[in-house]
Every structure is written in C-alpha cells, then in structure tokens.
C-alpha cells in the first residue's frame, strides 16, 4: 500500500519537473538525451518491478521484448510506409502475441530454471534478430521516420522527450493501479502466498502470465519509442547485456516499488554514462568495463539492500497523510450466501482413503458435517487429521472414497474449485502476506466475490467493486475483533492475532463451511478462550465449522459432534460427553501419553 501512496503524491511533482526540465536555461542538450534514455529504460524496469520484484519471477530477457516493438515498427514504417502512430497498436499486439507462448513456457519453470529459461530465449531472440534478412541482419534497419504530431516531426531529443515521459508516467500509474486492485492482490500473493491465493479462488498461473505479458508490453512500448528516437535499429540493444542492465535497474530501484523502477533506471543509466567515459581511460582499450561494475553492484545490492535503494530514500520522506479509513459501514455490501436451516446435510466424507506409498494416513474414514454445527476432528499427533483436512480442501487427492459437498462429489478438485463451492480454510502453519495490511490480506479472501479484471483495474473502473470488497474485509475484521489493526502490516501481528486474521480472511469468502486446522495451536489460554467465543458466535450466525484440533480440552466445550482418529482410522464418533467417556479414546490419548 505504501508504494501506492507515495506514487500518488509523487506524480504531480514529477510531471512538473519533467515539463520544465528541457527548458531550464543552461541544461545541456546531452542531459535531455540522457533523460530520454532513462525514460525508455524506466518503461522496461517498471515492468520488471512487477514481474520480478512483486511477482518473484526473475527475467534477464526483457531486452528481447524491446526488440519486438522496435523491429515491428521499423519494418512497418520503412517497408510498408505505415505511419509511426499506427504501428504502436501493432507493436503491442506483436509483442503480446509473442510474449504469450514464451510466458506460458517460462512461468511454469520454478527456482533457478526460470531465470535460466529467460536467458535462453533472450539469447536465442538476439541471434534471431541478427539472422533474419527482412530485419536487415546485423546491420539492422535505418531511415525509420520520426514520430510527428500535427504535422510537426519530432527530430530533436527535446521533442520526443515529452512523448517518452508521458508514456513513463502513464505506465507508472497503470502499474500502480494494477497492483492496487483485486487482480493486484493475487499478483502480490505470487511470492510466498500462492497456496493462499489458490485456496481463495485466485488463479495464480493466470496472475503470473498477466504480469509477464504486462512487463513484455511495456518493453515493447519502450522498443517502439526507441526505434523512432534513434530512427535506426540493429540487434545490439536487444541482447542479454541490456537484459541484465534492466534487471539491475529494477533490483537497485527496489523490488516492489513502481517509482523505484524509475529511480533505478536513472541511477544505472547515469552510472553507465559515467563509467563508459572513465573506465576506458583508467584501464585502456575499449572494453565494456561497466558490465563488470554492474555485476558487482547487483551482488552488493542483493546482499545489503535486498529491497533496493528506493525504500532507503522513501523512509526519510515525511510520512504520507493518513489514508482514508475504510469502514465496515458506508459502502454498499456484497450479496451473501443464503443460509440454510440448521441440521441439514452439508458435507460428507465417505470412506475417504489416502495412502502415501505403503503408509495409509487416512483409512476409509466417514463422517458428516451438518449445517450450523461445529464438528471436531481430533486424535493424537500423526492420526491423519491434517491429511483428512487436506483431502477436503483439495490440497491432496483421494486414493479412494468420496467427499460430497452440497450434493456434489468433489472428486479430484483443486483448491480453487473447493473455494468456489463455498468452503474456506485456515492454515495450520499461518500463511499471511507480511507486507500487505491486515485489510488487504483479508480482502484476498473475498477474491471470488469480485470480478474486476486487468483492464478494469488499470483504468480504475473497479473502484465501486473494490470499495465493496474492502468494506466486506473490514466487516469481517471487525467481526473477529481485529478492527484496531486493520491498516497494520500483517507482519506486525502476533501469532494469536494472525490465526484470527486467517479466520477473518476465510469469512470474507462468505463460506458455507469453514475448515480450521489447529487454530488454537500456540495460543495462550486467554486467546484460546477468545477464539472459542468467536467460533461459537459464528455457529450462532449459521456457519458450519470443521475443527481439526490436537487439544481435546479446547474441542470438548465447543463442538456439537466429535470424530476421533487414531493411526488413520476412525475409532469413535459422537457427542462430546460420549467421546470423553469412550474407552477407545481414553486408550488412544492415554496410550499416546504413556
Ligand atoms: P495429524 O495432522 O493428525 O497430526 P497428519 O495427517 O499430518 O497427522 O499425518 C498422518 C500420517 O501421514 C503421519 O504418519 C504422517 O507422517 C503421514 N504423512 C502426512 N503427510 C504426508 C506426506 N505428504 N507424505 C508422506 N507421509 C505423510
Ligand atoms: Mg496436523
């Protein structure tokens, strides 16, 4: 959220500085040229901040996408005489269409295979540009016409300066809007929160592809501008060297900060200019010595300022004005699921079985959860509680048996489909996005209750829906008693509060069934009491809850019905009083203790 605040405040100031910059007396023309290069690099680097900094996908290949944009307009405007402005949509289309299959291949890769993959296609495309006859091979294409407006051609660096920086500002605003939206939350969940996002119905593979194509389009736009600024293109600026520089800009600027991308582009471009003049004099010859310095710089930044330099600067700025508070009331509310009368069949586990190799973790277990009741699933450590939970939540697939919810067999469904059926979960090992606020974390839970896509988010046409989603999140936060912490970063919460946050996030889905895996683990006694009070309030509101718990005492006072597992097998089932007196249960627990 912080990045959005600073971007909104920076925009007018930056626009003003940019408007007067070329006219300040005594500003050398070369500075304007440098500013243009910074602008072109900023476009690529803004895309990379989303792709790498926010989405966690490292790409060394962005320069190739600049090549798509540059070569498309070069060919169209020289060979076919198409006006440069008309080539822009074609450039974006070509870049997007080519980025799509590359993205589909690339985002599937994980770990270090992903950056290696980008290096591979980055290199391949560079050589391809140099081999194709209709792209002029390594000589490239020259005599590209300049951009023009109202019959006035932009031959000078001063003219195109405004075009470039207008696009940079637009791109920064678009990127900021995208991040500050429903789609943006699933993008920001890509690093470290994929399981959460999927459990609440967000398609994270699609979110990855979205940022990949968004970043590619910004690079393609940069290439288009570059072609009409230089009015000649050849393969050299679209190779791996530049790809590494772009990545350095994004990393230096700051992993998750849109304006950091512009800052990083400025810093690296200016540094390169200085180094290219100094280093050959120091070392003699004409090698690309700056590449060595950049490599060292990248290592240093990653080592000592992994968030980039931008946060080090913004930390010194005065705090942004208090944000308009999102309240639980005021905005129109989202439609709610129709509550069914208590006591009806809701979810049934039917002879569910899960084997891990020879180990049968869940051995033909059957039980049911009815509307408006809390069912406890208990048993000693290793009894198969979490595995059963994972079968219901779609995190693990059944070896045999069935799980039926609302009359529909869930079969081998993914967590996303489980969420769509109205089942929400919390995680035994708390999973929240630490750099998002409590409100944003909970709003992720309401993902399926909105529909705004990328275009609506970028154009800010999602505001009415977004207000409703945030109001819903705020309502759930108030409901669980975390209202005071609504705008705090989730990383500042204690474990007990995080578990409650997870309950609020699950409630934001408006679930018919709430799955809780050991929600009381690690809580202090008072926190356990508060949680128990909350859960019984939820039941009073008509919620059905499946409570997986190790702590028998916690479950006894709260549940309507208890299922006991031991070594994967159901050994008892009944009302709490019956379970307490059940010989097999006493044996399992005392036997375990002894
Ligand atoms: P509980 O939650 O009741 O403590 P679990 O469901 O986590 O128990 O585990 C049940 C059994 O299944 C344990 O013996 C555990 O070691 C085993 N198990 C759980 N998950 C896996 C897995 N992914 N691969 C192999 N064995 C597993
Ligand atoms: Mg467990």
């Amino acid at each position: 959220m912080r990045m959005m605040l600073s971007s909104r405040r920076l925009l007018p100031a930056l626009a003003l500085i940019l408007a007067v910059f070329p006219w300040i007396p005594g500003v050398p023309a070369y500075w304007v040229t440098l500013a243009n290069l910074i602008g072109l690099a900023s476009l690529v680097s803004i895309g990379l901040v989303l792709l790498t900094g926010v989405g966690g996908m490292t790409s060394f290949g962005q320069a190739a996408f600049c090549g798509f944009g540059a070569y498309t307009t070069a060919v169209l405007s020289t060979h076919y005489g198409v006006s440069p402005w008309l080539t822009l949509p074609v450039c974006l289309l070509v870049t997007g269409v080519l980025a799509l299959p590359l993205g589909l291949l690339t985002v599937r890769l994980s770990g270090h295979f992903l950056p290696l993959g980008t290096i591979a296609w980055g290199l391949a495309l560079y050589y391809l540009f140099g081999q194709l006859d209709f792209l002029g091979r390594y000589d490239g294409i020259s005599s590209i016409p300049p951009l023009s407006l109202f019959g006035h051609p932009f031959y000078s660096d001063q003219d195109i300066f405004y075009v470039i920086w207008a696009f940079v500002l637009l791109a920064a605003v678009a990127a900021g809007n995208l991040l500050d939206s429903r789609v943006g939350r699933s993008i920001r969940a890509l690093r470290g929160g994929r399981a959460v996002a999927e459990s609440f119905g967000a398609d994270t593979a699609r979110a990855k592809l979205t940022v990949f194509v968004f970043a590619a389009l910004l690079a393609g736009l940069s290439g288009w501008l570059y072609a009409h600024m230089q009015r000649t293109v050849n393969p050299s600026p679209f190779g791996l060297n530049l790809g590494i520089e772009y990545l350095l800009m994004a990393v230096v600027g700051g992993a998750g900060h849109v304006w950091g991308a512009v800052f990083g582009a400025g810093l690296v471009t200016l540094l390169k200019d200085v180094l290219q003049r100094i280093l050959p004099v120091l070392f003699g010859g004409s090698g690309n010595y700056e590449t060595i310095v950049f490599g060292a710089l990248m290592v240093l930044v990653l080592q000592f300022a992994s968030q980039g330099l931008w946060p080090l600067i913004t930390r010194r700025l005065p705090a942004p004005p208090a944000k308009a508070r999102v309240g639980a009331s005021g905005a129109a509310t989202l439609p709610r699921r129709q509550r069914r009368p208590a006591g009806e069949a809701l979810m049934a586990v039917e002879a569910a079985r899960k084997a891990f190799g020879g180990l049968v973790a869940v051995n033909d277990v059957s039980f049911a959860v009815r509307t408006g009741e809390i069912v406890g699933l208990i048993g000693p450590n290793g009894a198969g509680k979490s595995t059963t939970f994972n079968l219901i939540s779609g995190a693990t697939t059944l070896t045999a048996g069935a799980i039926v919810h609302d009359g529909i067999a869930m079969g081998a469904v993914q967590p996303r489909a489980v969420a769509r059926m109205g089942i929400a979960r919390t995680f035994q090992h708390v999973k929240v996005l630490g750099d998002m606020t409590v409100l944003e974390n909970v709003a992720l839970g309401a993902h399926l209750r909105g529909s705004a896509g990328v275009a609506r988010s970028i154009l800010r046409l999602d505001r009415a829906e977004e207000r409703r989603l945030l109001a819903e999140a705020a309502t759930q936060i108030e409901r669980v008693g975390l209202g005071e912490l609504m705008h705090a970063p989730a990383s500042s919460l204690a474990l007990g509060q995080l578990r409650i946050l997870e309950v609020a996030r699950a409630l934001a889905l408006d679930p018919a069934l709430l799955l809780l895996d050991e929600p009381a683990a690690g809580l202090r006694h008072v926190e356990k009491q508060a949680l128990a009070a909350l859960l019984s309030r939820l039941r009073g509101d008509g919620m059905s809850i499946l409570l997986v718990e190790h702590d028998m005492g916690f479950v006894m006072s709260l549940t309507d019905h208890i299922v006991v597992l031991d070594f994967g097998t159901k050994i008892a089932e009944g009302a709490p009083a019956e379970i307490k007196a059940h010989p097999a249960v006493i044996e399992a627990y005392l036997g375990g203790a002894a």
Side-chain angles (χ1 to χ4, degrees):
M1 218 47 223
R2 168 171 268 149
M3 73 187 100
M4 250 52 68
L5 291 172
S6 44
S7 81
R8 297 260 174 272
R9 286 190 312 145
L10 268 177
L11 197 59
L14 196 62
L16 186 71
I17 294 170
L18 288 170
V20 299
F21 172 72
W23 303 105
I24 297 172
V27 165
Y30 184 61
W31 286 19
V32 179
T33 309
L34 275 178
N36 286 346
L37 293 176
I38 292 170
L40 293 177
S42 296
L43 287 170
V44 186
S45 152
I46 288 169
L48 264 176
V49 157
L50 262 61
L51 184 66
T52 305
V54 179
M57 292 169 277
T58 304
S59 170
F60 290 96
Q62 296 309 104
F65 293 123
C66 301
F68 290 157
Y71 273 109
T72 304
T73 195
V75 169
L76 288 177
S77 60
T78 58
H79 297 192
Y80 301 98
V82 183
S83 141
W85 288 105
L86 292 181
T87 66
L88 176 58
V90 186
C91 286
L92 295 179
L93 192 72
V94 168
T95 309
V97 166
L98 293 173
L100 210 57
L102 276 179
L104 280 171
L105 289 174
T106 309
V107 303
R108 273 184 172 67
L109 301 174
S110 58
H112 51 269
F113 291 111
L114 190 137
L116 286 179
T118 66
I119 291 174
W121 53 252
L123 274 177
L125 289 168
Y126 167 73
Y127 287 111
L128 187 69
F129 291 141
Q131 293 301 326
L132 294 176
D133 274 328
F134 78 105
L135 299 184
R137 303 179 78 100
Y138 284 99
D139 295 332
I141 300 173
S142 48
S143 313
I144 300 170
L147 291 174
S148 61
L149 213 55
F150 309 116
H152 171 69
F154 294 164
Y155 281 111
S156 80
D157 280 348
Q158 278 199 2
D159 291 332
I160 202 166
F161 170 89
Y162 289 107
V163 183
I164 291 173
W165 280 93
F167 276 116
V168 173
L169 295 188
L170 280 178
V173 170
N177 288 352
L178 182 59
L179 286 180
D180 181 29
S181 72
R182 170 178 174 272
V183 181
R185 278 188 291 275
S186 57
I187 292 172
R188 291 158 72 193
L190 287 177
R191 233 176 26 170
R194 278 195 84 179
V196 175
E198 289 279 331
S199 300
F200 288 99
D203 185 343
T204 57
R206 194 189 168 120
K208 277 184 159 190
L209 201 58
T210 300
V211 272
F212 190 88
V213 172
F214 184 79
L217 289 178
L218 287 185
L221 171 65
S222 173
W224 174 80
L225 284 162
Y226 172 84
H228 294 291
M229 182 180 89
Q230 296 296 92
R231 287 184 286 117
T232 168
V233 294
N234 64 59
S236 62
F238 310 125
L240 203 54
N241 265 0
L242 265 287
I244 292 171
E245 274 177 42
Y246 290 134
L247 188 61
L248 177 64
M249 291 170 190
V251 168
V252 163
H257 305 264
V258 171
W259 291 107
V262 180
F263 171 75
L267 201 66
V268 172
T269 306
L270 294 179
L271 190 63
K272 182 178 175 179
D273 184 64
V274 171
L275 291 176
Q276 275 179 339
R277 277 186 267 172
I278 294 177
L279 294 182
V281 177
L282 285 181
F283 296 114
S286 59
N288 286 339
Y289 297 111
E290 74 276 5
T291 310
I292 301 166
V293 176
F294 286 168
L297 195 60
M298 179 106 84
V299 172
L300 284 176
V301 169
L302 290 176
Q303 192 73 35
F304 296 106
S306 59
Q307 291 297 301
L309 303 181
W310 184 248
L312 302 182
I313 296 167
T314 48
R315 204 185 295 156
R316 286 168 212 291
L317 294 177
K323 204 174 158 257
R325 298 277 125 159
V326 179
S329 56
T333 49
L334 293 170
R336 292 201 175 283
R337 183 183 309 279
Q338 208 160 6
R339 290 271 169 245
R340 304 222 314 247
E344 290 183 4
L346 181 66
M347 195 269 296
V349 176
E350 295 171 355
R353 186 179 187 83
K354 179 67 187 182
F356 294 109
L359 177 88
V360 181
V362 178
N363 188 5
D364 300 339
V365 170
S366 300
F367 65 92
V369 178
R370 298 180 168 281
T371 50
E373 71 173 3
I374 302 183
V375 173
L377 183 61
I378 66 170
N381 258 330
K385 304 181 298 292
S386 288
T387 307
T388 306
F389 184 95
N390 289 336
L391 290 172
I392 301 170
S393 65
T396 312
T397 50
L398 284 162
T399 305
I403 294 168
V404 180
H405 178 74
D406 240 348
I408 302 166
M410 298 210 290
V413 293
Q414 299 293 310
R416 230 178 321 138
V418 173
R420 273 199 299 275
M421 296 175 100
I423 301 178
R425 65 170 295 183
T426 62
F427 291 84
Q428 183 178 355
H429 303 288
V430 177
K431 287 194 202 304
V432 299
L433 291 150
D435 53 3
M436 295 198 337
T437 63
V438 170
L439 183 70
E440 290 173 305
N441 269 284
V442 174
L444 190 59
H447 186 84
L448 285 175
R449 301 173 75 187
S451 63
V454 177
R456 263 167 77 192
S457 305
I458 288 179
L459 297 173
R460 235 39 188 175
L461 299 175
D462 63 341
R463 289 300 98 183
E465 176 187 289
E466 185 66 7
R467 262 196 304 279
R468 285 197 294 275
L469 292 179
L470 291 177
E472 170 65 15
T475 304
Q476 300 306 342
I477 293 167
E478 303 278 3
R479 190 178 184 188
V480 302
L482 285 181
E484 295 289 297
L485 295 165
M486 197 163 314
H487 299 283
S491 57
S492 68
L493 271 59
L495 176 67
Q497 295 168 324
L498 289 173
R499 289 207 184 278
I500 302 287
L501 186 163
E502 287 221 343
V503 174
R505 184 174 65 196
L507 291 175
L509 181 123
D510 187 26
L513 174 63
L514 186 59
L515 307 176
L516 306 173
D517 193 359
E518 305 218 9
L523 297 199
R524 288 172 291 140
H525 184 64
V526 276
E527 290 176 320
K528 282 190 188 183
Q529 283 178 321
L531 179 66
L534 169 64
L535 297 184
S536 73
R537 253 193 346 264
L538 292 176
R539 169 178 48 194
D541 294 344
M543 184 80 56
S544 308
I545 301 172
L546 176 66
L547 179 65
V548 169
E549 202 27 87
H550 178 69
D551 175 347
M552 210 154 95
F554 180 77
V555 175
M556 282 300 163
S557 58
L558 192 62
T559 52
D560 303 290
H561 191 84
I562 295 177
V563 175
V564 191
L565 296 182
D566 192 21
F567 293 112
T569 307
K570 183 172 81 177
I571 55 166
E573 176 171 11
E578 297 169 56
I579 295 299
K580 224 181 255 180
H582 200 294
V585 179
I586 295 167
E587 167 65 26
Y589 270 80
L590 294 182

